[in-house]
Each structure stands twice: as structure tokens, then as C-alpha cells.
Amino acid sequence: MPIYHAPTRDMQFILHDVLNVSQAGLPGYDDLDRDFTEAVLDAAGKLAQDVLTPLNATGDQQGCVLENGVVRTPEGFDAAFQAMKDGGWTALDCDPEYGGQGMPYIMGLATGEMFVSANMAFNMYQGLTHGAYSAIHTHGTPEQKAMYLPKMVSCDWTGTMNLTEPHCGTDLGLLRTRAEPQDDGSYLITGQKIFISAGDHDLSENVIHLVLAKAPGGGEGTRGISLFIVPKFLVNEDGSLGERNGVSVGNIEHKMGIHANSTCVMNYDAAKGWLLGDLHKGMRAMFTMMNEARLGVGLQGYAVAVAAYQNAVEYAKDRLQGRAVTGAENPSGPADPLIVHPDIRRSLMDQKSFLEGARMLAFWAAHLIDKAHSGDADADGLVGLLTPVIKGFLTDKGFDTAVLAQQVYGGHGYIEEHGMSQFVRDARITMIYEGANGVQALDLVGRKLATDGGKHVLAFFEMVKAFCKENGDGPLAADFIEPLKAASKDLQAATMFFMQNGMKNPNAALSGSYDFMHLFGHTALGLMWARMAVAAQAALDAGTGDADFMNTKLATGRYYMARQLPMTRTLLARIESGADPVMALDADQF
């Protein structure tokens, strides 16, 4: 059975040595001293390792079952979900007014990484609920908040988001689900939604669906869409559950991965719903949930790969195959362990250097979100710019990393009993849902770069420039600062190419959008590694902390800067080739 160890030491390094959270001056951050965060992370790690990890493989094997209109989750999930609730983990960063613990978002993300690494399909039940909670918390009326949020914070009731229909996914302007207004202020929702994660299950008393639908008078396209709260069971005025609403499960999708999460076809047959937010402004309300979900999916992309990597390391140390080219390192045995071979080292370093950089990027983004929650508009703009990068780049590279981990096992990685194929299968969905990664790239280039007149991408460039200037004369200049400068110049050159060519030939920009998303991702991870290197070197110079940990961090960072970051040159060349190579063929020539 695959193992998982919570990487709390690395998380503590990011929180305190790099981000210095307890001195950040943000609401709730004063409480985040090393002892407090260590206690929280250790407790979450114990739950992840001891309770969730053992259920990952069995959940994959058993999947969910639809029986007489009721969805049954795999064995052990109900007890594990209760343990999650009893520990207060579902309420960690939620509003205390509704039963939450009020911790900063960054702590919810840190614990969430561990839960995803341990059991991604399981964690989706509470993860999606958190997104629905956020949408209602932001856009709901006081009455809606009082009715739904306490039960959602505790996960006595769970939540979903219902966007996709059989004929439309990305193009939501085509949706057909209808909302008919009633005299009592409610609406009757009729239509079908597909690919609804955690659409129904036996882990909670009620499921609160957030459903996009078109009400009369809204016009065509996305301008006519509204968002509605549609509970599985109607809720009485006193908060008790009433009769079953007109919503049912048509089918459970048979998927490549995340078998233990119930991905449902949901049928709405005059189901009673209530408007959330403004009429015909449903996309604005839904994007509150979608943006949170996209950051969460970016976390999923690398968190699943963390578990895959840990197992690959264990296998590489144990599996005896061949001899080291420089001489036997296990002379008393029949062969040396795999980890002596340079190509295995290359694979593991590719994995390790990406994963630790990805964690730093995700934590930094969470820190920016906490700043935005405190009213920092610049932080809000920057995290908006980074969202498609985090979702797209971290999931693409996360999947690649899971495949690399599987490859370390050779043929055994292809055999189900070793569990590596589950990591690959589970990671694959992250590149697709919550907006396929091609759409993320289009959003980045087509919308996010130009937001507020390009203010936020220019701020990113200035941030990198200032960091390089501040650290350009130190001991890290050659290994970290100069490579970061080169990558930033490539990113700026690609941005300039879009500015010069995008208006007169939009295909020139969009043909390079995917490469740009990866170019931005590599540059962002380069900045993250440079920041971590500065922190590690400072700890070594001061004689504080674990010297072996800090030296390992520097060596891993040097690998990324030398072996991964130069990809920006190739990506820039692809972008600057323009639209002609991409658009050369007519449709019938493919």
C-alpha cells in the first residue's frame, strides 16, 4: 500500500523562514507563531497519514454506487468524514459568526494540501463545500447566510457547484437550465447538469447545490444567467429538514480516476431554488466559487504528485537494480539500489524541485489572498493574474511529476497493486476540470494580462526586478539571481510580443498562450526558489535552524534554476514563431 508522510517541516520553513507570517501584520497572523502552526500542521498530518491515506486505495477500488436513488460512498468514508468534522478541519478558515475558527486562508491551504495528498477524492467532499460556503458568504442575504452557513461550515450539509450541461462546458452562454419565478419569491429550476463532483452522497444530511440557470428577461449568452441555491432537502424556517426537493441523481459518471468521489448527472425537475446574488448576474457570484476552486485544483495538481514522489523515493532506495557506474555502492548485495543511477536522480530531482517550488507558490498565493481579504487591492489583482498560472501550470507539471514517479517503478508502476497508477489517474482530472488548461491559458493572455491596463503583470515584473537588485551582489547571485533575471526577461519579451502583435493578429497571441502560461509558471517558480534560497542562506549564516535541511533546500533550488528554468528560452521561441505554424493547415488537412 502506498505511503504518505506530511511535509510539515517544509511547510514550517515556508511559513516562518520565507513568508515570516507571524510578523506580517495581517488579521489572524499574529497568532501564527511556530508552536501554533506546528501543532495545527502536526494534527492535520496525523489525520492525513493515519485515517485518510489507508482509505485512498480502497476508495479507488470500490468507488461510489447509486442504489435506489441514493449514492453510497466507499467503506470507511463515513467514519473518516466524521473524524474530519469532529476535528474542526472543515471550519478552519471559516467565519466565526457561523461556527468557523477564523484562521487565515493560508492555514486552510496548508492543511488542505495534506488532505489532498492523502486522499484527493475524499477531500473533494469538504473542498467543494468550502467553495459553496464562500459564494453564499460573499453574495448571500443575511437570511440565506443564517440558514445555510452554520451547517455548511460544520459539513453537516455539504455543497456543490452546478455549471456544465451535456451540450455546454466552457461556453456557458449555451446552457438551457431554466428558472421560473414564483409568487413566493422562489424559482422552479428545470434542467440537467453533468460532471457534478460530490453531487450526492451519504456523508451529510443535506446537499446544497449552487445552480446556474436562465430566468426570464435576462437576454442571450452569459448575461442572462443567474445563480440559485437549490437544496436536496428543503429547509424549514426553524432550520429542520423538510421534504425532498425536485432534484435527483441520474447517474454516476464512470471516470478514469477519483473513483471515490461521486461525480453525478443531476436532474432538476421543477426543483425549488432561491436566487443567490443579483438577478442575471450569476456568473459574478459563481466566479467567487470558481476562482477558489481553480486555486484549489492547482493545489490538487501538485499535492497528488507529492504522494507519488514520496513513494518513488522509497522505491528507488529499496529496489536493487544494476551497479553504480562508478563502482558498487552495495557490495554485500546482489545489486545497488536504483537511487545510485544518475537518470533516476534526474527524475527524482525534477520531481522534488518542482514540488517544493509549487508548494511555495501556492502558499504565497494564499498569503496574497489573506492580504486581499484585508483590503489590499494590489494583492487581489496579483492573485487574479496568478490564478490561471497556478491552475494550469501546477496541474500540467503535477501530472507530469506523477508520471515521472510512476516511471521510477518501471513495470511495477503499471501494476495496480503498487498504487502508482492511481496517482496518475487522479492527477489527470486536474488539467481538465474547473476550466481546462487551454482555457486557463486563453484567460491569462486574453483577459488577465490587460486587467487594469496591465498594472498587475507590470507589478510582477517590478517585484522580480526589485528582488534581484536587493540580492544581486550576494553569494546566491550566480546560481539564483542571474537565472531569474534571464527568465524574467523572457517573460517580458513574450508579453511585449503579444502587445505588438495581438491586436492586429489575435491568433498570434492565442497560438502562444499555452506556452506563455508555462513560461509565466517557470518564472514564478524561479522567483519562489530564489526567495527560498535567500531564506535558507540567511538561516545558515545565522547558525539557526537545521543546517542539513537548509543545504538540501539550496541544492534542490540550484537544480531547478539550472535544469528547469532555462525552459523559458524555448517557450519564448515558440511564442515568437507566431500564428503561422499553428494555423497553416485547413481543417480538412488534419
Side-chain angles (χ1 to χ4, degrees):
M1 178 181 292
I3 55 91
Y4 170 67
H5 302 295
T8 55
R9 177 66 185 88
D10 198 51
M11 291 180 175
Q12 286 283 83
F13 168 74
I14 293 172
L15 290 172
H16 298 288
D17 294 274
V18 187
L19 296 176
N20 197 17
V21 290
S22 62
Q23 304 299 317
L26 294 175
Y29 273 50
D30 290 348
D31 297 329
L32 302 184
D33 59 41
R34 285 183 185 268
D35 290 342
F36 179 79
T37 59
E38 181 179 21
V40 173
L41 296 177
D42 284 351
K46 183 175 177 60
L47 177 65
Q49 293 165 189
D50 298 347
V51 178
L52 304 188
T53 297
L55 295 175
N56 198 35
T58 56
D60 179 62
Q61 293 158 10
Q62 293 179 15
C64 294
V65 179
L66 179 62
E67 296 177 341
N68 300 318
V70 178
V71 175
R72 306 293 183 191
T73 53
E75 294 176 13
F77 269 46
D78 53 350
F81 201 68
Q82 189 61 49
M84 181 78 70
K85 292 164 56 178
D86 290 344
W89 299 108
T90 65
L92 199 70
D93 62 336
C94 295
D95 189 341
E97 183 176 349
Y98 304 104
Q101 298 185 44
M103 289 190 200
Y105 180 78
I106 196 169
M107 293 305 296
L109 180 130
T111 57
E113 181 197 314
M114 293 186 273
F115 298 150
V116 171
S117 293
N119 197 324
M120 174 177 162
F122 174 90
N123 192 65
M124 290 171 66
Y125 291 102
Q126 70 149 344
L128 287 157
T129 303
H130 192 286
Y133 153 86
S134 296
I136 296 174
H137 189 270
T138 301
H139 301 283
T141 66
E143 293 76 17
Q144 289 172 336
K145 294 178 186 180
M147 176 174 286
Y148 297 108
L149 293 188
K151 292 286 191 178
M152 296 178 75
V153 166
S154 67
C155 270
D156 289 336
W157 299 351
T158 54
T160 72
M161 54 191 298
N162 286 236
L163 290 78
T164 306
E165 300 184 4
H167 57 282
C168 72
T170 301
D171 190 356
L172 289 172
L174 298 176
L175 71 79
R176 297 171 183 163
T177 300
R178 297 294 172 184
E180 295 297 330
Q182 304 300 297
D183 293 340
D184 63 358
S186 67
Y187 289 77
L188 295 182
I189 313 298
T190 300
Q192 185 181 77
K193 300 289 183 176
I194 63 171
F195 305 157
I196 308 306
S197 299
D200 193 74
H201 52 83
D202 55 1
L203 301 178
S204 65
E205 301 167 356
N206 203 2
V207 182
I208 310 304
H209 302 287
L210 300 190
V211 184
L212 288 180
K214 288 189 174 181
E220 297 300 317
T222 57
R223 292 186 301 274
I225 294 176
S226 301
L227 184 62
F228 299 90
I229 300 173
V230 187
K232 173 182 175 180
F233 289 99
L234 297 176
V235 182
N236 298 321
E237 290 186 6
D238 63 359
S240 64
L241 297 184
E243 63 183 19
R244 177 70 182 256
N245 205 355
V247 53
S248 61
V249 179
N251 191 25
I252 297 178
E253 306 284 7
H254 298 282
K255 310 183 297 293
M256 175 180 174
I258 53 169
H259 295 153
N261 193 268
S262 53
T263 307
C264 298
V265 175
M266 302 301 300
N267 295 322
Y268 293 88
D269 184 11
K272 203 162 190 176
W274 288 264
L275 183 69
L276 177 61
D278 297 329
L279 187 64
H280 309 315
K281 303 292 184 182
M283 292 303 296
R284 181 172 62 185
M286 180 58 83
F287 264 110
T288 298
M289 188 172 185
M290 288 178 65
N291 285 333
E292 178 177 316
R294 286 172 176 173
L295 292 170
V297 172
L299 181 145
Q300 287 180 333
Y302 82 82
V304 171
V306 166
Y309 162 74
Q310 290 184 0
N311 284 274
V313 169
E314 292 294 313
Y315 189 81
K317 290 178 178 179
D318 291 341
R319 175 74 166 173
L320 302 181
Q321 291 284 283
R323 290 293 188 188
V325 69
T326 53
E329 295 194 16
N330 179 34
S332 62
D336 289 332
L338 280 172
I339 203 165
V340 306
H341 302 300
D343 192 59
I344 295 294
R345 293 292 191 99
R346 170 203 57 81
S347 174
L348 293 176
M349 287 298 285
D350 277 351
Q351 296 169 54
K352 180 177 173 64
S353 65
F354 163 71
L355 292 170
E356 293 181 16
R359 177 177 296 121
M360 175 66 205
L361 180 59
F363 277 49
W364 180 49
H367 182 53
L368 290 174
I369 289 172
D370 284 329
K371 283 187 173 183
H373 288 166
S374 70
D376 189 329
D378 290 337
D380 188 54
L382 185 55
V383 79
L385 172 70
L386 290 170
T387 294
V389 178
I390 291 170
K391 196 283 182 185
F393 180 71
L394 294 193
T395 59
D396 278 352
K397 297 298 289 183
F399 175 76
D400 291 346
T401 300
V403 172
L404 285 174
Q406 182 189 40
Q407 187 76 10
V408 170
Y409 279 68
H412 290 289
Y414 202 68
I415 304 300
E416 290 291 341
E417 67 185 81
H418 290 278
M420 298 307 287
S421 74
Q422 183 187 353
F423 295 130
V424 173
R425 289 184 284 104
D426 286 355
R428 185 64 182 90
I429 186 56
T430 65
M431 304 161 70
I432 297 172
Y433 63 9
E434 304 306 337
N437 286 355
V439 176
Q440 301 302 318
L442 296 178
D443 179 49
L444 175 63
V445 171
R447 293 199 317 118
K448 296 297 176 62
L449 284 183
T451 299
D452 296 330
K455 171 184 176 180
H456 306 297
V457 72
L458 292 175
F460 180 83
F461 294 149
E462 285 300 314
M463 181 186 304
V464 174
K465 181 180 178 181
F467 178 87
C468 290
K469 183 177 181 180
E470 181 180 353
N471 297 282
D473 296 328
L476 303 175
D479 292 340
F480 289 91
I481 305 305
E482 293 304 320
L484 177 58
K485 283 182 182 178
S488 183
K489 289 179 180 177
D490 289 340
L491 184 62
Q492 292 178 61
T495 305
M496 184 61 67
F497 177 83
F498 292 153
M499 291 175 62
Q500 293 173 342
N501 296 277
M503 292 298 293
K504 60 185 178 182
N505 182 8
N507 283 338
L510 299 185
S511 294
S513 60
Y514 211 96
D515 295 306
F516 184 82
M517 181 176 71
H518 275 244
L519 200 166
F520 206 142
H522 276 296
T523 305
L525 257 64
L527 176 60
M528 297 301 102
W529 268 115
R531 291 183 63 180
M532 288 191 287
V534 168
Q537 188 63 55
L540 288 171
D541 293 343
T544 59
D546 182 342
D548 183 64
F549 175 90
M550 299 302 173
N551 282 314
T552 300
K553 183 66 68 174
L554 287 168
T556 307
R558 288 189 181 98
Y559 181 91
Y560 192 88
M561 305 306 272
R563 300 275 304 213
Q564 296 289 348
L565 196 56
M567 275 299 299
T568 60
R569 303 170 202 163
T570 298
L571 293 164
L572 175 61
R574 287 166 59 94
I575 290 167
E576 290 181 337
S577 71
D580 289 347
V582 175
M583 308 300 292
L585 299 183
D586 293 332
D588 59 5
Q589 292 178 297
F590 281 91

